[in-house]
Protein backbone atom coordinates (compact mmCIF):
# COMPACT_ATOMS: atom_id res chain seq x y z
CA UNK A 1 0.00 0.00 0.00
CA UNK A 2 1.10 3.53 -0.67
CA UNK A 3 2.09 5.79 2.19
CA UNK A 4 -0.57 8.41 3.00
CA UNK A 5 0.32 12.01 3.81
CA UNK A 6 -2.14 14.66 4.99
CA UNK A 7 -0.77 18.20 5.19
CA UNK A 8 -2.39 21.08 7.04
CA UNK A 9 -1.31 23.64 4.45
CA UNK A 10 -3.41 21.82 1.85
CA UNK A 11 -6.53 21.73 4.02
CA UNK A 12 -6.51 24.71 6.35
CA UNK A 13 -6.62 28.06 4.61
CA UNK A 14 -7.93 31.20 6.28
CA UNK A 15 -11.27 32.26 4.89
CA UNK A 16 -12.77 35.69 4.55
CA UNK A 17 -14.97 35.07 7.58
CA UNK A 18 -11.94 34.22 9.74
CA UNK A 19 -10.20 37.42 8.65
CA UNK A 20 -13.40 39.38 9.32
CA UNK A 21 -13.52 37.98 12.86
CA UNK A 22 -9.93 39.10 13.38
CA UNK A 23 -10.78 42.60 12.17
CA UNK A 24 -13.80 42.75 14.49
CA UNK A 25 -11.58 41.69 17.40
CA UNK A 26 -9.07 44.40 16.51
CA UNK A 27 -11.86 47.00 16.29
CA UNK A 28 -13.17 46.03 19.73
CA UNK A 29 -9.65 46.22 21.07
CA UNK A 30 -9.28 49.65 19.50
CA UNK A 31 -12.45 50.88 21.20
CA UNK A 32 -11.31 49.43 24.53
CA UNK A 33 -7.90 51.06 24.09
CA UNK A 34 -9.49 54.41 23.29
CA UNK A 35 -11.55 54.13 26.46
CA UNK A 36 -8.90 53.23 28.98
CA UNK A 37 -5.60 51.88 27.73
CA UNK A 38 -4.43 54.61 25.40
CA UNK A 39 -2.35 54.21 22.27
CA UNK A 40 0.34 52.07 23.85
CA UNK A 41 -2.23 49.68 25.31
CA UNK A 42 -3.95 49.36 21.97
CA UNK A 43 -0.66 48.60 20.24
CA UNK A 44 0.12 45.88 22.78
CA UNK A 45 -3.32 44.32 22.39
CA UNK A 46 -3.31 44.53 18.59
CA UNK A 47 0.26 43.25 18.39
CA UNK A 48 -0.55 40.35 20.71
CA UNK A 49 -3.64 39.44 18.71
CA UNK A 50 -1.73 39.53 15.43
CA UNK A 51 1.17 37.56 16.89
CA UNK A 52 -1.09 34.83 18.32
CA UNK A 53 -3.13 34.66 15.11
CA UNK A 54 0.02 34.45 13.01
CA UNK A 55 1.50 31.76 15.26
CA UNK A 56 -1.71 29.73 15.07
CA UNK A 57 -1.81 30.02 11.28
CA UNK A 58 1.88 29.09 11.01
CA UNK A 59 1.50 26.02 13.26
CA UNK A 60 -1.66 24.88 11.48
CA UNK A 61 -0.10 25.23 8.04
CA UNK A 62 2.95 23.18 9.13
CA UNK A 63 0.95 20.33 10.73
CA UNK A 64 0.80 16.96 8.98
CA UNK A 65 0.09 13.23 9.38
CA UNK A 66 1.78 10.33 7.63
CA UNK A 67 0.48 6.75 7.56
CA UNK A 68 2.99 4.11 6.53
CA UNK A 69 4.45 0.70 7.30
CA UNK A 70 6.01 1.78 10.60
CA UNK A 71 2.81 3.35 11.95
CA UNK A 72 1.23 6.79 12.08
CA UNK A 73 3.46 9.86 12.39
CA UNK A 74 1.89 13.13 13.46
CA UNK A 75 3.44 16.58 13.62
CA UNK A 76 1.71 19.64 15.04
CA UNK A 77 4.01 22.16 13.36
CA UNK A 78 7.21 21.70 15.35
CA UNK A 79 10.03 19.24 14.74
CA UNK A 80 9.95 16.03 12.75
CA UNK A 81 6.83 14.60 14.30
CA UNK A 82 6.30 11.53 16.44
CA UNK A 83 5.69 8.05 15.11
CA UNK A 84 3.18 5.83 16.87
CA UNK A 85 3.87 2.18 15.91
CA UNK A 86 0.95 0.02 14.81
CA UNK A 87 1.24 -2.26 17.84
CA UNK A 88 0.62 0.73 20.17
CA UNK A 89 -2.52 1.93 18.35
CA UNK A 90 -5.61 0.28 19.88
CA UNK A 91 -8.39 1.99 17.93
CA UNK A 92 -9.00 4.45 15.08
CA UNK A 93 -12.28 6.27 14.61
CA UNK A 94 -13.87 9.54 13.59
CA UNK A 95 -14.98 12.06 16.19
CA UNK A 96 -17.93 14.08 14.95
CA UNK A 97 -19.05 17.05 17.00
CA UNK A 98 -22.14 19.16 16.35
CA UNK A 99 -21.50 22.86 16.81
CA UNK A 100 -23.55 25.97 16.25
CA UNK A 101 -21.83 26.44 12.92
CA UNK A 102 -22.42 22.87 11.71
CA UNK A 103 -20.49 19.67 12.28
CA UNK A 104 -16.82 18.90 12.53
CA UNK A 105 -15.30 15.45 11.96
CA UNK A 106 -11.70 14.46 12.64
CA UNK A 107 -9.87 11.14 12.53
CA UNK A 108 -8.23 10.17 15.81
CA UNK A 109 -6.30 7.25 17.20
CA UNK A 110 -6.34 5.74 20.68
CA UNK A 111 -2.98 4.58 22.01
CA UNK A 112 -2.19 1.67 24.34
CA UNK A 113 -1.53 4.02 27.28
CA UNK A 114 -5.01 5.55 27.01
CA UNK A 115 -3.98 8.72 25.18
CA UNK A 116 -5.88 10.01 22.16
CA UNK A 117 -4.33 11.76 19.22
CA UNK A 118 -6.10 13.57 16.40
CA UNK A 119 -4.52 13.29 12.98
CA UNK A 120 -3.71 16.79 11.73
CA UNK A 121 -4.67 17.43 8.15
CA UNK A 122 -7.49 14.88 8.21
CA UNK A 123 -10.57 16.93 9.07
CA UNK A 124 -13.95 17.71 7.56
CA UNK A 125 -16.11 20.63 8.67
CA UNK A 126 -18.30 23.33 7.21
CA UNK A 127 -15.39 25.77 7.51
CA UNK A 128 -12.86 23.33 5.99
CA UNK A 129 -14.82 20.94 3.74
CA UNK A 130 -13.03 17.82 2.53
CA UNK A 131 -15.01 15.95 -0.12
CA UNK A 132 -12.80 12.85 0.14
CA UNK A 133 -12.77 12.69 3.95
CA UNK A 134 -14.62 9.35 4.23
CA UNK A 135 -12.39 7.73 1.62
CA UNK A 136 -9.23 8.98 3.36
CA UNK A 137 -10.50 7.73 6.74
CA UNK A 138 -11.16 4.28 5.29
CA UNK A 139 -7.67 4.21 3.77
CA UNK A 140 -6.14 4.97 7.20
CA UNK A 141 -8.40 2.39 8.84
CA UNK A 142 -7.38 -0.23 6.23
CA UNK A 143 -3.69 0.41 6.96
CA UNK A 144 -4.39 -0.10 10.67
CA UNK A 145 -6.45 -3.26 10.20
CA UNK A 146 -3.83 -4.82 7.89
CA UNK A 147 -1.01 -3.90 10.31
CA UNK A 148 -2.53 -5.13 13.59
CA UNK A 149 -3.94 -8.32 15.03
CA UNK A 150 -7.71 -8.39 15.59
CA UNK A 151 -7.15 -9.18 19.28
CA UNK A 152 -5.13 -5.95 19.72
CA UNK A 153 -8.05 -3.75 18.59
CA UNK A 154 -9.98 -2.48 21.60
CA UNK A 155 -12.69 0.18 21.27
CA UNK A 156 -12.42 2.71 24.13
CA UNK A 157 -15.31 3.95 26.27
CA UNK A 158 -16.83 7.34 25.45
CA UNK A 159 -15.89 10.24 27.73
CA UNK A 160 -16.96 13.87 28.15
CA UNK A 161 -13.85 15.14 26.40
CA UNK A 162 -14.93 13.31 23.26
CA UNK A 163 -17.50 16.05 22.69
CA UNK A 164 -15.04 18.96 22.94
CA UNK A 165 -13.16 19.95 19.78
CA UNK A 166 -10.03 22.06 19.56
CA UNK A 167 -12.13 24.80 18.00
CA UNK A 168 -14.59 24.82 20.89
CA UNK A 169 -11.71 24.94 23.38
CA UNK A 170 -10.13 27.84 21.46
CA UNK A 171 -13.41 29.78 21.35
CA UNK A 172 -13.91 29.28 25.09
CA UNK A 173 -10.34 30.40 25.80
CA UNK A 174 -10.85 33.49 23.61
CA UNK A 175 -14.04 34.38 25.48
CA UNK A 176 -12.28 34.03 28.83
CA UNK A 177 -9.38 36.21 27.65
CA UNK A 178 -11.81 38.83 26.30
CA UNK A 179 -13.77 38.83 29.58
CA UNK A 180 -10.59 39.29 31.63
CA UNK A 181 -9.50 42.09 29.28
CA UNK A 182 -12.89 43.79 29.62
CA UNK A 183 -12.72 43.60 33.43
CA UNK A 184 -9.27 45.17 33.39
CA UNK A 185 -10.25 47.93 30.98
CA UNK A 186 -13.62 48.84 32.46
CA UNK A 187 -12.88 48.63 36.19
Amino acid sequence: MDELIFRGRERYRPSGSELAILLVALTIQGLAAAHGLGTVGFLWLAGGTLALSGLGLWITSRSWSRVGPEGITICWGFGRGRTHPWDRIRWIDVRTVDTQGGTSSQVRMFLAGGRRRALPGLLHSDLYPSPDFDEQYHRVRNWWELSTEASARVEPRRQFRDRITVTVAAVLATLVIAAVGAVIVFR
Side-chain angles (χ1 to χ4, degrees):
M1 285 174 42
D2 292 334
E3 190 172 77
L4 307 174
I5 297 177
F6 307 101
R7 292 183 177 87
R9 70 173 168 251
E10 297 166 358
R11 304 228 182 222
Y12 309 123
R13 298 181 191 264
S15 65
S17 62
E18 291 174 325
L19 295 176
I21 290 171
L22 180 61
L23 290 175
V24 167
L26 287 174
T27 302
I28 291 170
Q29 288 178 359
L31 294 173
H35 183 268
L37 295 179
T39 305
V40 174
F42 168 73
L43 292 176
W44 274 103
L45 283 174
T49 300
L50 289 173
L52 289 175
S53 299
L55 179 65
L57 182 61
W58 182 74
I59 289 171
T60 302
S61 68
R62 291 182 41 88
S63 65
W64 53 269
S65 301
R66 182 177 54 231
V67 179
E70 68 281 347
I72 298 176
T73 304
I74 60 174
C75 177
W76 286 101
F78 298 105
R80 297 181 186 164
R82 180 171 180 186
T83 300
H84 301 279
W86 291 117
D87 63 343
R88 303 287 301 155
I89 300 172
R90 296 291 180 249
W91 195 255
I92 294 178
D93 69 2
V94 174
R95 173 178 61 179
T96 300
V97 178
D98 292 322
T99 62
Q100 292 177 353
T103 61
S104 174
S105 300
Q106 187 163 20
V107 176
R108 63 183 178 170
M109 62 182 167
F110 295 80
L111 303 175
R115 294 189 177 253
R116 302 152 191 250
R117 297 287 182 257
L119 276 62
L122 199 49
L123 169 101
H124 174 72
S125 68
D126 294 336
L127 188 59
Y128 299 111
S130 177
D132 62 345
F133 176 78
D134 290 330
E135 175 190 340
Q136 297 298 340
Y137 163 66
H138 288 294
R139 291 178 69 194
V140 171
R141 181 104 182 174
N142 287 342
W143 260 102
W144 173 64
E145 288 175 352
L146 291 172
S147 302
T148 60
E149 296 290 328
S151 61
R153 301 180 203 138
V154 180
E155 185 174 4
R157 293 183 303 123
R158 286 253 185 240
Q159 296 181 355
F160 174 73
R161 67 182 182 181
D162 294 333
R163 290 176 275 178
I164 305 261
T165 64
V166 174
T167 305
V168 170
V171 167
L172 292 174
T174 302
L175 292 173
V176 168
I177 291 169
V180 170
V183 168
I184 292 171
V185 170
F186 298 115
R187 64 178 160 111

